[in-house]
Structures are given as C-alpha cells and as structure tokens.
C-alpha cells in the first residue's frame, strides 16, 4: 500500500512510508499476554528487551523532517532485530 501511495503522490513533494515497530512495551502489547509470553518475546529479541516508545519516535521524527525527503515508499522496521 505504501508503494502505491508513494506513486500516487508523485510530484507533490509528499512521501509515504510505514514504520513497522516490533514488540514495544505498551499497554496494548501487554494486554492478554502472560508473563511467560512476554519473557519469551524478550528472549527472542537480539537486543534482549522490549522496545520502548522512545526507540520508535526518532525514526518517525526523521521521516517528518527535510532529511527524510529521499525516503519514500518504504517499510522501515524498528524492532531491535526481532524477526
């Protein structure tokens, strides 16, 4: 969808990108998960922790600046290496 949007916005100087965060320590993430499930997700991540909103904000901020103007039609994974 992002690639289609990027093409549709051609000539407008508007970019279309998607930030795809991995597991982030938010109420939404923890809802309905057991401590064991959360522990397993943490262990599976190469960084050994859940993401924090502060890990995602700089990427979104970058895309909103002139420095991000050449990034277009991309899905940017911000996940600490979680695959």
């Amino acid at each position: 969808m992002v690639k289609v949007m990027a093409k549709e916005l051609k000539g407008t100087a508007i970019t279309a990108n998607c930030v795809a965060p991995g597991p982030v320590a938010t109420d939404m993430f923890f809802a309905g998960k057991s401590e064991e499930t959360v522990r397993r997700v943490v262990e599976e991540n190469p960084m050994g922790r859940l993401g924090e909103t502060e890990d995602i904000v700089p990427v979104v901020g970058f895309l909103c600046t002139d420095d991000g103007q050449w990034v277009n039609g991309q899905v940017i994974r911000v996940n600490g290496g979680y695959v």
Side-chain angles (χ1 to χ4, degrees), residues 12-67:
T12 66
I14 298 171
T15 59
N17 295 290
C18 173
V19 176
V24 177
T26 62
D27 291 341
M28 180 191 274
F29 173 78
F30 290 117
K33 291 182 179 67
S34 67
E35 288 184 27
E36 172 63 22
T37 298
V38 172
R39 183 188 62 73
R40 191 171 52 248
V41 169
V42 168
E43 288 177 356
E44 290 173 357
N45 190 306
M47 301 296 283
R49 66 177 179 87
L50 292 175
E52 299 289 336
T53 54
E54 293 82 13
D55 296 320
I56 312 305
V57 169
V59 176
V60 174
F62 168 76
L63 292 171
C64 295
T65 67
D66 289 342
D67 291 335

